[in-house]
Amino acid sequence: MSDETLLAERRNGAPLRAKTGRSGLESRQRHAKARAASSFSGFAYWATIVFFFMPLVVLLVASFDKEKGGEWSGFSFIWYVKLFTESGELWRAFGNSALIAFASALTATVLGTLAAIGVTWYKFPFRGYVRTLNFLPMILPEIVIGISLLVFFAGVGLKLGLVSIYIAHATFNLPFVFLMVSARLDEFDYSVIEAARDLGASEFQTLMKVIVPMSMPGIASGFLTAVTLSLEDFVITFFVTGPGATTLPLFVYSAIRFGVSPVINALSVVMVAGTVALILPLRNYLKYIAAK
Amino acid sequence: MNGSDVTISRVGKSFGSFAALDDVSLDIRKGEFFSLLGPSGCGKTTLLRILGGFEVPDEGTVAIDGVDVVGLSADKRRTNTVFQSYALFPHLSIFENVAFPLRLRKVPPKVLSSRVKDYLALVQLEAHADKMPAQLSGGQKQRVAIARALINEPSVLLLDEPLSALDAKLRQHMLVELDSIHDKVGITFIYVTHDQGEALSVSDRIAVMNQGKVLQVGPPHEIYEDPATDFVARFIGETNLFRGAVVRSEGLLATVAIPEVGEVLVTTDDPVPAGSSVSFAVRPEKIRIAAQKPAAARKDLNVVKGAVDEPIYSGFQTKFYVRTEKGVTFKVFKQHADYSDKGPEIKWRQEVFLSWSAEDGTLVEVARP
Ligand SMILES: Nc1ncnc2c1ncn2[C@@H]1O[C@H](COP(=O)(O)OP(=O)(O)O)[C@@H](O)[C@H]1O
Ligand SMILES: [Mg+2]
């Protein structure tokens, strides 16, 4: 309905109620139209999109550039070929990163989940303090965690290398898993646990058949977050790494110091593509379990 | 499937310095539909949790079929609980919720499937087996909780205000259904409620509780007609209750002097000597209300004169608040047993006569001199 017809209606003495009595759907459609027509919000939307994706587009273009350097010198797959055939060291670093990400995320998920369950559902002294202390590694600057872990490893005499990186990553990932699982557990009623016990489940059966499956969405997102955080961590890893234990971020950093090799561009594009391929089907799965 | 006797003796339970249960003793019989009735916070849930094994009493014992169960954890007792919040497992389908106890016991799949179907049929939910709990209405969830609690064939079913989250119509319906399930399975039901109407309509016997104590145990009509204390008289249904003293006593007929009403005749079960201090109670539906003074044909008729303060019409009856000359208010229910299109004959502010016979009143909390 246009403003003219509305005005005409009012002039004709149509009751005001007729105007507000429009169905919700109709008024929502009107709002949608108004939003699309507003030039500022449309501009902001597109500016955001461009801002987010422009660097990726530049990266994509650069990875197909024949020559290293700013100017476009022709399309080529040369850097992709180099990435897959002549970059053994890069792939070793990638392998290290993947291994550490998986292992540390798994460790953090198991420990963080158990900690969250314990703190949420069992009563013990100083429960509140334990809960708060658990968040400390999330708030502390990474550099502090890096230094303290380094001092700790030196103190216990652990040789720096993949193992120390794995322990460090599991440590800083734990609070994230703890937080996500706790948030999930807080939504549930304690009586489901009593119900399980009432129906004949032992404590262990209750844990495995009720508590863990019920918190699965929190556990899954905690695990994914842990993998991501581990893959991209630089500062803490830098402190606790040892000879030969190079992760992908460390490798890329050292490579960049000698000028950005377009191989890195190609690697980045491959990683973006890999992540998208991984997330799209997983996203539906996550939505599905979260809906339950 | 068979019910069990439940014997609760001298049970006490405190939270900090607060006594939630104080010296509670109850004998619940095999197969009985037994209600724990009392206002919110009186300790009903605490007592039920002690029976289910979720709480340990500080004092006293609980025996099921004569065997002390105080040390047994919930999974080792032949009791099952229907929780107020349903407590369904949100990650399992309706079928799997009901199958849960059988899966724990590793019942073979064929037997399991047919048993689960039987119990879903018992609560009329066969068609919903594959749904998730979040897809069901409150009443349906409650039924799943009942089926799940019964499939283990417990000898005692504990129900904690199972209907309180449902709307009034559905509550009535579920109550009837619960009663018929009780008849079918024949086990002992212990039913917690704060709703006296629910308790009166389905229970074999009721224990009325207040502030951690059991005040009276008996069948519904006894609780209603012969309340043991003022609290019970006021809590169950509506009543007119006055403090007074017996001034004359001839056998089972006592005359009670009530300062705000005058002298009232009442029959008693045992002789009550003059000088006893008592509470006198008469239910509103037992009082007749009329515009004319009743003919004094019967000498045991009590008559009080007053004026209608407030008539509340509700279709099947009218509730009158009648203020007497001495300034107290009586509640009176007048049933509309016959068809009438004229509207009420007794109107606001009208002068009326209230009457009831000596048998219709009762004495509560008799303190003999
Ligand atoms: N775990 C507990 N800790 C402290 N107080 C409690 C606990 N459980 C119950 N209470 C108290 O005991 C009293 C009785 O509670 P409850 O048995 O739940 O009453 P009802 O079921 O009759 O409403 C209440 O005042 C309640 O606050
Ligand atoms: Mg309660």
Side-chain angles (χ1 to χ4, degrees):
Chain A
M1 205 186 289
S2 73
D3 286 345
E4 280 88 342
T5 47
L6 269 180
L7 275 175
E9 245 183 43
R10 211 174 303 165
R11 269 198 304 273
N12 295 340
L16 214 60
R17 213 181 319 122
K19 188 169 70 102
T20 50
R22 226 182 283 117
S23 77
L25 181 69
E26 209 179 313
S27 81
R28 236 176 296 134
Q29 279 168 346
R30 272 177 64 87
H31 271 280
K33 245 189 248 159
R35 224 182 318 156
S38 151
S39 58
F40 178 72
S41 58
F43 169 76
Y45 175 70
W46 286 110
T48 311
I49 296 275
V50 168
F51 190 73
F52 266 139
F53 288 102
M54 208 53 204
L56 283 180
V57 173
V58 170
L59 196 71
L60 188 72
V61 172
S63 74
F64 290 109
D65 192 352
K66 197 156 66 182
E67 302 266 322
K68 193 170 160 177
E71 245 133 88
W72 179 254
S73 43
F75 184 86
S76 128
F77 278 112
I78 173 110
W79 305 113
Y80 286 89
V81 174
K82 280 204 166 156
L83 173 66
F84 288 107
T85 57
E86 301 168 25
S87 311
E89 221 181 314
L90 184 151
W91 287 109
R92 253 192 309 285
F94 182 82
N96 284 344
S97 270
L99 182 69
I100 286 169
F102 183 76
S104 69
L106 195 66
T107 309
T109 303
V110 171
L111 295 180
T113 301
L114 290 176
I117 290 168
V119 169
T120 310
W121 270 334
Y122 296 93
K123 289 172 193 140
F124 55 88
F126 309 117
R127 188 159 77 145
Y129 295 102
V130 170
R131 225 179 165 147
T132 312
L133 276 178
N134 249 298
F135 294 127
L136 211 55
M138 267 169 79
I139 315 160
L140 284 178
E142 280 191 77
I143 196 161
V144 175
I145 303 176
I147 292 170
S148 64
L149 282 167
L150 183 61
V151 170
F152 171 73
F153 291 144
V156 298
L158 183 78
K159 206 164 125 285
L160 295 183
L162 287 184
V163 174
S164 61
I165 300 176
Y166 154 73
I167 295 174
H169 284 206
T171 308
F172 75 70
N173 274 331
L174 205 140
F176 289 93
V177 177
F178 178 84
L179 178 74
M180 287 177 177
V181 178
S182 295
R184 185 78 190 167
L185 291 177
D186 283 342
E187 291 170 23
F188 290 107
D189 185 1
Y190 186 78
S191 60
V192 295
I193 293 183
E194 291 192 335
R197 300 280 282 142
D198 187 60
L199 296 167
S202 66
E203 273 197 78
F204 184 71
Q205 284 173 318
T206 306
L207 180 69
M208 296 315 289
K209 289 182 188 286
V210 177
I211 303 177
V212 168
M214 256 171 48
S215 19
M216 208 28 117
I219 297 174
S221 47
F223 179 79
L224 287 180
T225 308
V227 168
T228 311
L229 290 175
S230 170
L231 274 180
E232 69 179 17
D233 181 75
F234 180 81
V235 177
I236 295 173
T237 314
F238 190 71
F239 275 95
V240 299
T241 187
T246 307
T247 62
L248 193 59
L250 294 185
F251 175 83
V252 171
Y253 175 70
S254 62
I256 277 173
R257 275 189 303 181
F258 309 111
V260 185
S261 161
V263 171
I264 305 279
N265 296 341
L267 174 69
S268 307
V269 171
V270 168
M271 280 173 68
V272 169
T275 311
V276 169
L278 206 72
I279 288 301
L280 280 185
L282 222 57
R283 187 175 135 268
N284 281 334
Y285 169 72
L286 279 179
K287 256 208 308 218
Y288 167 73
I289 46 180
K292 284 215 223 169
Chain B
M1 224 192 270
N2 248 318
S4 288
D5 294 316
V6 178
T7 312
I8 299 162
S9 34
R10 316 220 58 180
V11 162
K13 174 81 188 174
S14 297
F15 297 105
S17 62
F18 177 79
L21 290 175
D22 181 13
D23 197 12
V24 170
S25 296
L26 289 171
D27 260 311
I28 298 163
R29 300 174 201 134
K30 201 183 285 268
E32 201 171 22
F33 197 128
F34 191 91
S35 292
L36 300 171
L37 171 65
S40 170
C42 74
K44 310 176 296 286
T45 298
T46 305
L47 184 57
L48 203 73
R49 289 172 59 80
I50 287 173
L51 298 179
F54 305 113
E55 210 86 66
V56 181
D58 302 334
E59 297 161 65
T61 59
V62 175
I64 296 179
D65 282 335
V67 181
D68 188 354
V69 294
V70 166
L72 287 183
S73 61
D75 54 329
K76 305 259 166 24
R77 296 189 187 196
R78 291 205 54 206
T79 57
N80 278 127
T81 305
V82 176
F83 292 86
Q84 186 166 5
S85 57
Y86 317 130
L88 300 185
F89 304 124
H91 61 292
L92 297 179
S93 68
I94 301 315
F95 184 94
E96 286 302 327
N97 261 279
V98 177
F100 186 85
L102 304 185
R103 294 236 187 263
L104 290 174
R105 299 207 323 253
K106 308 227 167 7
V107 171
K110 264 224 177 89
V111 183
L112 178 138
S113 164
S114 85
R115 285 274 297 285
V116 171
K117 283 187 186 129
D118 287 349
Y119 278 86
L120 283 175
L122 179 71
V123 295
Q124 301 166 20
L125 282 177
E126 308 99 305
H128 302 274
D130 297 327
K131 291 192 179 162
M132 299 304 286
Q135 294 169 284
L136 297 192
S137 71
Q140 291 170 327
K141 283 186 202 165
Q142 192 54 265
R143 281 187 243 197
V144 177
I146 292 169
R148 189 182 65 174
L150 285 172
I151 202 165
N152 250 350
E153 307 197 338
S155 61
V156 181
L157 186 70
L158 308 171
L159 303 108
D160 191 359
E161 311 226 8
L163 311 182
S164 62
L166 309 179
D167 62 65
K169 266 258 168 60
L170 195 55
R171 198 149 61 214
Q172 203 54 41
H173 177 76
M174 277 298 294
L175 202 59
V176 174
E177 223 166 274
L178 210 54
D179 201 19
S180 84
I181 290 172
H182 175 249
D183 292 342
K184 275 186 209 140
V185 297
I187 60 169
T188 312
F189 275 34
I190 302 180
Y191 184 89
V192 161
T193 181
H194 67 268
D195 184 318
Q196 43 100 17
E198 274 177 25
L200 290 174
S201 57
V202 288
S203 313
D204 294 317
R205 286 192 306 150
I206 299 171
V208 183
M209 296 177 63
N210 191 32
Q211 298 184 341
K213 288 194 174 62
V214 172
L215 303 179
Q216 187 174 8
V217 183
H221 68 269
E222 207 173 290
I223 301 270
Y224 187 78
E225 301 287 5
D226 279 312
T229 69
D230 289 3
F231 177 84
V232 177
R234 287 211 173 89
F235 188 70
I236 310 293
E238 295 196 55
T239 196
N240 299 290
L241 187 89
F242 307 98
R243 292 293 302 172
V246 174
V247 288
R248 268 187 310 283
S249 179
E250 305 150 40
L252 295 180
L253 189 70
T255 306
V256 182
I258 299 167
E260 318 92 290
V261 178
E263 290 199 351
V264 168
L265 285 168
V266 57
T267 56
T268 57
D269 295 338
D270 314 298
V272 177
S276 304
S277 92
V278 296
S279 292
F280 168 80
V282 58
R283 297 283 182 190
E285 73 276 12
K286 296 188 169 66
I287 301 177
R288 255 129 294 159
I289 182 167
Q292 267 80 47
K293 188 170 175 147
R298 288 162 57 188
K299 96 178 230 316
D300 66 346
L301 200 67
N302 295 293
V303 180
V304 175
K305 195 173 151 198
V308 174
D309 229 9
E310 186 99 63
I312 299 172
Y313 178 79
S314 56
F316 71 105
Q317 71 169 19
T318 300
K319 177 176 180 177
F320 294 97
Y321 286 92
V322 175
R323 184 175 287 275
T324 67
E325 288 162 325
K326 288 186 179 161
V328 291
T329 301
F330 273 83
K331 276 178 271 186
V332 181
F333 299 155
K334 185 172 169 20
Q335 293 292 309
H336 302 158
D338 301 314
Y339 178 83
S340 158
D341 52 9
K342 290 197 199 69
E345 313 127 46
I346 295 169
K347 305 226 157 42
W348 182 50
R349 293 249 168 107
Q350 186 176 336
E351 184 173 271
V352 289
F353 293 89
L354 306 181
S355 62
W356 67 94
S357 79
E359 279 124 43
D360 290 333
T362 182
L363 294 185
V364 187
E365 291 196 2
V366 175
R368 286 156 212 271

